Amino acid sequence: EFIWDPLDYRWMKMYEDLKQFKKAYFHTVVPDKWIKNNKLAIWVGVQRRNRNTLSEKYKKLLDDIDFDYDPLQTIWNEKFERLKTFKQEHGHCLVTQRYEKDQELGHFVVANRNSYIQSTLDPKNKKLLDDIGFDWNPDESTWFNFYDQLKDYYIENKHSDIPWNEYDDKSL
């Protein structure tokens, strides 16, 4: 059988491989250097890089199988949802790296602070974090919180010499 459009034929063949991958693994995030089918891994990367120039036909086909154009952002979004849940439960976003229930979430928080400091945080992600009251500098926030408590104590007691046995917050 003669192939009238070899580029389309190859694209469709790789698309079928991707559909088989999704059937087997329940997602479309083919590892970058997937040994089982390196051609598929390369093809998927090309589709992601060219997402803005793909034909409508190809976009629709990829959308039909829930193709993940940006798996790193997908992972970020999943962790962000976990952070929102943490905030609902605890009233703040101060997840430590030693948070036993979800250490990965603590790493996510630290990584985003570092990205912010290095000016590499995606502005859309920064806005999402800002919108939930993310604390970009918890050390400074803690200092000011203790300072405010000390000020309140001073106003009430006319001195700042706090006896340990009179004050509830022993960290002050």
Side-chain angles (χ1 to χ4, degrees), residues 29-35 37-45 48-49 71-72:
V29 184
V30 180
D32 287 342
K33 295 177 181 167
W34 194 40
I35 296 168
N37 189 341
N38 194 46
K39 286 182 183 180
L40 179 61
I42 293 168
W43 181 83
V44 163
R48 288 189 181 120
R49 282 189 299 279
L72 294 178

Side-chain angles (χ1 to χ4, degrees), residues 3-75:
I3 299 169
W4 292 99
D5 186 347
L7 292 177
D8 183 64
Y9 175 81
R10 280 184 283 202
W11 195 96
M12 291 304 296
K13 182 175 178 343
M14 296 308 298
Y15 175 73
E16 289 302 320
D17 285 356
L18 180 59
K19 283 176 36 179
Q20 290 303 311
F21 178 92
K22 181 172 182 175
K23 187 177 180 181
Y25 299 100
F26 309 105
H27 62 80
T28 60
V29 184
V30 180
D32 287 342
K33 295 177 181 167
W34 194 40
I35 296 168
K36 279 187 170 182
N37 189 341
N38 194 46
K39 286 182 183 180
L40 179 61
I42 293 168
W43 181 83
V44 163
V46 169
Q47 304 319 298
R48 288 189 181 120
R49 282 189 299 279
N50 295 337
R51 70 176 151 220
N52 296 324
T53 58
L54 288 172
S55 72
E56 289 304 314
K57 170 188 170 183
Y58 293 159
K59 280 183 192 175
K60 180 173 179 355
L61 287 168
L62 291 170
D63 290 346
D64 287 348
I65 61 167
D66 298 319
F67 182 71
D68 191 344
Y69 289 96
D70 192 347
L72 294 178
Q73 185 63 43
T74 300
I75 292 166

Side-chain angles (χ1 to χ4, degrees), residues 64-108:
D64 287 348
I65 61 167
D66 298 319
F67 182 71
D68 191 344
Y69 289 96
D70 192 347
L72 294 178
Q73 185 63 43
T74 300
I75 292 166
W76 191 95
N77 292 341
E78 290 167 357
K79 291 178 183 175
F80 177 70
E81 289 302 316
R82 287 170 25 207
L83 180 60
K84 284 178 16 182
T85 300
F86 179 92
K87 174 150 189 202
Q88 288 173 344
E89 292 173 1
H90 301 278
H92 60 77
C93 298
L94 301 174
V95 186
T96 68
Q97 287 184 325
R98 287 182 239 104
Y99 178 52
E100 288 184 21
K101 194 172 174 186
D102 190 349
Q103 285 187 340
E104 194 176 75
L105 185 59
H107 295 302
F108 171 76

Side-chain angles (χ1 to χ4, degrees), residues 99-131:
Y99 178 52
E100 288 184 21
K101 194 172 174 186
D102 190 349
Q103 285 187 340
E104 194 176 75
L105 185 59
H107 295 302
F108 171 76
V109 165
V110 169
N112 278 280
R113 280 196 191 106
N114 289 337
S115 293
Y116 172 71
I117 289 166
Q118 297 165 1
S119 300
T120 58
L121 183 63
D122 184 309
K124 289 180 233 159
N125 292 348
K126 182 184 182 305
K127 181 177 179 353
L128 289 169
L129 290 165
D130 284 342
D131 289 349

